[in-house]
Amino acid sequence: LPLQYDDFVLPNPEPETLTVEYVYRNWLFHGPLFQGISSIDKIGTEGICGVINAISIDECLKDAGKERWLIDPIMLDSAMQFAGIWARHYMDITVLPVGFGKLSLFAAPNSNNFHVIVSVPNENKNGELLCDMAIYNEDGRIVALMEKLGGAGSKSLNRLGSQPKALRGAK
């Protein structure tokens, strides 16, 4: 994956992308706090990319004071949701994360908006997903790279996405 978001090219993206509202209503099972995806920009057989919006620590923890995240759990989970969307779209399964090979942190997040790229090699099969995920600051510079992010899933887990839930920002 590139160190600069602007250098990323997704080979053969589909002409139309999925909508954020559709995936949160039908495929994903996250409550409003963890619904951080704001756009799905491209999806193709080799990956997916888009934008996430994290929230501040005070919106997550009561009396957070001047504390800061070492790794923002909303940002990280929202970024991993792109891998789940890819798996549902191309493998028709809901995957849950089971681990990763390596996490490299390059820079401190400098905003609440991030670009995400999930790169998926062709070796996925039998309910297992293996991919690499990069998170970039709004200016396009890399913040974090998670290599060999693994997920396990099945079609029977697809029912989790169809459960009623509130959407972030919905009234």
Side-chain angles (χ1 to χ4, degrees):
L1 289 168
L3 294 179
Q4 187 73 25
Y5 182 77
D6 296 338
D7 295 336
F8 176 68
V9 176
L10 180 65
N12 305 312
E14 292 193 10
E16 305 227 358
T17 61
L18 301 162
T19 67
V20 173
E21 182 176 314
Y22 178 83
V23 298
Y24 278 124
R25 284 200 189 278
N26 299 290
W27 289 356
L28 300 177
F29 49 85
H30 302 78
L33 186 64
F34 281 86
Q35 292 174 9
I37 296 174
S38 63
S39 71
I40 302 167
D41 297 337
K42 295 178 189 168
I43 187 169
T45 56
E46 296 180 34
I48 183 172
C49 63
V51 177
I52 58 173
N53 299 110
I55 59 177
S56 69
I57 194 170
D58 341 349
E59 294 176 81
C60 296
L61 301 175
K62 185 178 177 181
D63 300 322
K66 295 184 188 227
E67 295 294 322
R68 297 185 50 157
W69 298 119
L70 180 60
I71 298 175
D72 179 343
I74 307 292
M75 176 185 73
L76 190 61
D77 189 88
S78 296
M80 289 191 293
Q81 290 171 27
F82 281 107
I85 293 167
W86 186 93
R88 183 68 186 265
H89 186 72
Y90 285 103
M91 301 170 78
D92 192 28
I93 62 172
T94 296
V95 294
L96 301 174
V98 294
F100 60 90
K102 180 179 177 183
L103 175 63
S104 301
L105 302 176
F106 296 96
N110 63 12
S111 75
N112 284 341
N113 301 310
F114 303 93
H115 297 281
V116 176
I117 298 171
V118 173
S119 176
V120 184
N122 292 328
E123 57 213 37
N124 292 292
K125 59 181 185 226
N126 300 327
E128 294 180 12
L129 176 67
L130 191 63
C131 58
D132 295 324
M133 178 184 74
I135 302 171
Y136 300 83
N137 273 322
E138 206 167 23
D139 64 7
R141 288 184 290 165
I142 194 163
V143 172
L145 174 63
M146 185 176 284
E147 297 174 79
K148 301 200 180 307
L149 170 61
S154 72
K155 287 184 186 235
S156 65
L157 290 174
N158 289 352
R159 66 179 163 34
L160 296 175
S162 61
Q163 301 300 313
K165 66 194 119 342
L167 293 178
R168 185 190 272 190
K171 301 209 183 236

